[in-house]
């Protein structure tokens, strides 16, 4: 089955997809278009859901709310940014970088003191660099390889443990054999003081570990939230889910295991 | 005092700053550089912290963790994207858009079926459009005004109630007279089952309303989180904060009021 992920060629999504799958890879321009495509049953998808620097990926959480897809796996990839150029750092007059890449490498780029020009993607930085002998580009390993650019400075990122978590999505859920984690979308529908404490108490009382909770705007107005909750699979989970369903609207997004990434 | 916010000219940050302040506005290229600059005491800052579609703004939350600044106000601005062009929609051969703008307008842009080319900012879309008679650009009201572009289709955004919350940051906290809300940064330092339910119980038992909770990676490894908590100021808050400090490391980010935005 085709695997849909975020383009252009050389994104971290593309790199991870190439490492994980032997399927044909289809690069789409927006996360929403990937999730919509997966919901039709025509493809599996691979989308970023959480980064250790930037937090939750809004477009992915929004797409999971909007379309009927299931999470069927997760994988982690370290985010490493490198400076590519055909000259010495001292001879550079401009560095091309995507604005978010610039944010993630701001400490070192500030120190270099060379003008940074923003581009639309790391791939676009690579292309822009090739037009000018004295230009550099902040790119991933894969983008450097695709565009055949020499890397002159490695690991520009502010945080050496910058990691992105991706999820595999499919039109139908997995059976839960082998799964270690489940994701729920919890919509309290109304708000009251102490509601979130009560919702979480359902799991706390049974000793079930929440590995993540992320609040998202419900779109019923500012200040009204829904919650993405990830839980470690353990005894009492089925009972806890039933109790929760008595307190809030609950959608099961899927139970799944971590995929090992070859070569990382 | 100078007000630092995110450039280039025509960003929503720039538009909001121009509406709110009579101070000189300084446009900086990254959120991190704004917060760092504010921490020196040389300027106030205005940065986006939360969007109703995309969720928390990672760079801002990260900057608040890293630098010693206080939140001294908040303001809300509706995010509206418009299609600017010098020709009819039917004659367009390309539309320039920032990738996040593309995500936020994906439903209508998909329907138009015209090739979308990504740029580094809404301002860059406006500039790119001017080089080609048959090109359009997705821009804000202010970017259209700055670059003198005719708007041919209004309100492309998927969600009509797309709103961004901004915070004013300063080197020193306000005294809390007139404040309606406080923000805390809570770091549990260790993790255990039920910890978050216990932390939230401190407020629930006293009837204190949490207006927002956002988990962020603690950077002590994946799966370890800190929490940004916003609370409505009410009786018992001081006592609740003291109890919380016995359970976790708590930093007070500031108490503040909402700023009314002229002309919105």
């Amino acid at each position: 089955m085709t695997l849909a992920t975020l383009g252009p060629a050389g994104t971290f999504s593309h790199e991870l997809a190439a490492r994980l799958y032997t399927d044909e890879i289809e690069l789409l321009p927006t996360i929403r278009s990937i999730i919509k495509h997966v919901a039709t049953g025509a493809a599996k998808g691979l989308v970023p859901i959480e980064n250790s620097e930037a937090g939750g990926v809004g477009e992915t959480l929004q797409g999971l709310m909007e379309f009927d897809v299931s999470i069927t796996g997760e994988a982690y990839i370290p985010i490493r940014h490198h400076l590519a150029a055909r000259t010495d750092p001292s001879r550079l007059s401009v560095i091309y970088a995507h604005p978010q890449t610039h944010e993630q490498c701001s400490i070192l780029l500030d120190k270099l003191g060379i003008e940074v020009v923003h581009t639309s993607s790391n791939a676009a930085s690579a292309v822009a660099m090739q037009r000018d002998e004295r230009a550099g580009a902040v790119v991933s390993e894969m983008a450097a390889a695709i565009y055949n650019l020499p890397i002159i400075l490695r690991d520009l990122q502010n945080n050496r443990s910058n990691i992105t978590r991706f999820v595999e999505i499919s039109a139908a859920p997995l059976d839960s054999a082998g799964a270690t984690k489940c994701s729920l979308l919890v919509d309290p529908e109304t708000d009251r003081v102490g509601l979130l404490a009560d919702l979480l108490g359902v799991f706390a009382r049974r000793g079930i570990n929440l590995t993540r909770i992320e609040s998202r705007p419900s779109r019923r107005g500012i200040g009204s939230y829904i919650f993405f909750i990830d839980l470690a699979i353990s005894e009492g989970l089925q009972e806890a889910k039933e109790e929760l369903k008595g307190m809030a609207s609950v959608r099961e997004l899927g139970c799944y295991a971590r995929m090992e990434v070859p070569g990382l």
Side-chain angles (χ1 to χ4, degrees), chain A:
Chain A
M1 182 176 260
T2 305
L3 188 283
T5 196
L6 192 65
T11 60
F12 289 104
S13 300
H14 184 198
E15 177 172 350
L16 182 61
R19 286 181 188 273
L20 281 175
Y21 300 95
T22 53
D23 312 71
E24 191 191 335
I25 293 170
E26 186 177 4
L27 297 173
L28 296 178
T30 63
I31 289 174
R32 189 176 186 282
S33 61
I34 296 166
I35 299 179
K36 188 178 173 185
H37 188 51
V38 168
T40 67
K44 283 186 300 192
L46 184 72
V47 288
I49 192 166
E50 173 188 3
N51 172 262
S52 60
E53 300 262 305
V57 178
E59 292 81 8
T60 296
L61 300 173
Q62 188 53 44
L64 290 174
M65 286 167 68
E66 193 174 336
F67 294 103
D68 187 17
V69 295
S70 293
I71 301 177
T72 48
E74 66 171 352
Y76 295 81
I77 188 171
I79 300 300
R80 299 177 61 186
H81 297 292
H82 311 300
L83 179 61
R86 299 196 191 281
T87 185
D88 289 344
S90 61
R91 288 198 62 244
L92 288 175
S93 62
V94 62
I95 294 174
Y96 292 101
H98 183 264
Q100 198 165 356
T101 303
H102 186 186
E103 285 280 2
Q104 296 190 347
C105 302
S106 55
I107 297 174
L108 248 161
L109 288 176
D110 276 2
K111 271 194 199 143
L112 284 176
I114 298 161
E115 186 197 4
V116 176
V117 171
H118 287 171
T119 65
S120 61
S121 68
N122 292 334
S125 302
V127 171
M129 187 205 117
Q130 290 173 306
R131 290 193 294 255
D132 178 356
E133 267 287 307
R134 295 187 58 197
V138 186
V139 295
S140 67
E141 194 83 47
M142 193 187 193
I146 288 176
Y147 295 95
N148 196 23
L149 307 177
I151 290 174
I152 63 167
L153 207 56
R154 293 199 158 262
D155 289 313
L156 300 192
Q157 64 275 7
N158 298 349
N159 188 337
R160 291 301 169 98
S161 54
N162 185 347
I163 286 175
T164 296
R165 177 185 167 218
F166 285 77
V167 286
E168 180 193 88
I169 53 174
S170 309
L174 281 184
D175 71 55
S176 57
T180 57
K181 194 190 263 187
C182 295
S183 294
L184 302 177
L185 182 52
V186 180
D187 184 349
E189 291 176 350
T190 55
D191 192 28
R192 62 171 170 78
V193 169
L195 176 66
L196 184 57
D198 290 349
L199 295 177
L200 299 185
V202 169
F203 300 104
R205 277 201 310 282
R206 293 180 175 87
I208 297 168
N209 197 22
L210 272 61
T211 57
R212 176 168 173 78
I213 174 168
E214 166 124 12
S215 57
R216 298 283 310 164
S218 73
R219 305 185 144 189
R220 284 187 298 268
I222 202 113
S224 166
Y225 296 95
I226 60 149
F227 301 95
F228 282 87
I229 293 178
D230 292 345
L231 313 136
I233 292 182
S234 60
E235 221 167 316
L237 180 57
Q238 198 50 43
E239 201 184 86
K241 286 197 275 192
E242 291 311 316
E243 185 181 339
L244 195 69
K245 286 174 185 171
M247 302 165 70
S249 163
V250 178
R251 183 175 142 214
E252 307 205 23
L253 291 170
C255 298
Y256 49 89
R258 178 166 174 170
M259 300 182 279
E260 290 308 320
V261 184
L264 286 186

